[in-house]
Amino acid sequence: MRATQQPAAPAPESPPERTGSGAPGIAGVGTAVPTTSYTQEDILDTFGITDRRIRSVFLGGAIERRNLTLPPTGPDGLPVVESQGDLLSKHAASGLRMGREAVGRCLKDAGAVPGDIRYLCCVTSTGLLTPGFSALLIKDLGIEQYCQRLDVVGMGCNAGLNALNAVVGWAAGHPGELALMVCVEVCSAAYVFDGTMRSSVVNSLFGDGAAAVAVRAAPQEPPQDPALLRFASHIIPEAVDAMRYDWDDGHGKFSFYLDPEVPYVVGANARTAVARLLEGTGLHVGDIAHWVVHSGGKKVIDSVRVNLGLSRYDVRHTTGVLRDHGNLSSSSFLFSYERLRDEGVAESGDLGVLMTMGPGSTIETALVGW
């Protein structure tokens, strides 16, 4: 797999002006994690891992804690081996609980109630449910039965921005009505524990979490919410196998794979992806005041930062989420956005870039205006 940059494709149209109904904006955000939190040392001790190479992977990734739903302990004092059925049950139970909490906090932040939701999009890559989380949350939260819904399943860590693009499109066509996206990732329902370096890299990185974002196009001005101005995608076809979640016959369950070259491939393509987002706007990387980058891992963040010429301060929320929660898959960028929002440093006229990356291999971007 080569870390090659792709030629820039035709750019999307220029960002819409914030006049009239304006671009749909972020009306609220909310996050949730399991109540059980573990340090990296806790996890190593729980699973009795003494291999120095594996311990170094866990302890050298700039992650301090993760919220996980680990398997129960067996008679030997070690966590029991979970079947694929056990993992799917964990995905459903923990995912619904976190999704419910994230939606509740998001609605409170937006000054809304479940009955206000007219469009619900649920994103997950850590399990399969039919009916999906959208139908379960509509029933569980008492959302109106005529609420339109969408489930995005299996796209991976980049999927939050893929789905947000669809949510923004719906909101643009329904001014004043509330659309909600919730990313639900129970990464501990996608683990295989076999002592190999392949599984250990994955097991050292991912955490459980859910994040919801409310989107609305204001029917009148002035718009108050940060506007989602445009989206752009950049796919790296030669790296299609670099990130995979597929069936492992040896374990009788799905397992995730990360190619060691992923950070360098993503980094080498980051500038092209951002250039595609900004092309035709007259904007440059230096015009972007705020960066919300997926917390894909220490090497991924460093590679993106170096290739875009960003400072450590620019990615402070990304590294903070990685430190406190690990890689939260599709929900990661909303955890970082929430921290940026809570910091209160964004001013009117500022621009920001949201960036996620995942299987495909794909880099997704969005331009935000305050």
Side-chain angles (χ1 to χ4, degrees), residues 183-230:
C183 299
V184 181
E185 302 292 10
V186 189
C187 294
S188 57
Y191 282 167
V192 169
F193 297 98
D194 61 4
T196 66
M197 188 57 69
R198 164 180 166 158
S199 63
S200 297
V201 168
V202 173
N203 296 348
S204 72
L205 180 59
F206 291 91
D208 296 357
V213 59
V215 176
R216 181 169 45 209
Q220 70 284 326
E221 55 180 317
Q224 300 296 317
D225 302 328
L228 292 157
L229 299 174
R230 59 158 43 185

Side-chain angles (χ1 to χ4, degrees), residues 284-355:
H284 304 281
V285 169
D287 298 316
I288 305 303
H290 309 289
W291 293 86
V292 177
V293 181
H294 167 55
S295 53
K298 181 180 184 299
K299 291 182 179 179
V300 170
I301 298 168
D302 287 346
S303 185
V304 168
R305 183 178 61 81
V306 169
N307 278 275
L308 288 176
L310 306 180
S311 68
R312 296 187 186 279
Y313 179 80
D314 289 327
V315 295
R316 64 196 180 282
H317 304 303
T318 297
T319 55
V321 169
L322 182 70
R323 178 194 64 231
D324 299 335
H325 299 293
N327 181 335
L328 296 165
S329 191
S330 68
S331 66
S332 293
F333 81 103
L334 289 174
F335 276 76
S336 295
Y337 173 81
E338 183 181 50
R339 292 186 178 205
L340 173 64
R341 192 279 311 273
D342 291 346
E343 196 177 41
V345 298
E347 300 179 349
S348 178
D350 282 356
L351 292 169
V353 166
L354 313 179
M355 175 185 286

Side-chain angles (χ1 to χ4, degrees), residues 140-160:
D140 201 50
L141 294 173
I143 298 171
E144 297 290 351
Q145 292 175 271
Y146 53 82
C147 177
Q148 297 180 46
R149 65 187 181 93
L150 172 69
D151 285 279
V152 177
V153 180
M155 288 194 76
C157 297
N158 54 279

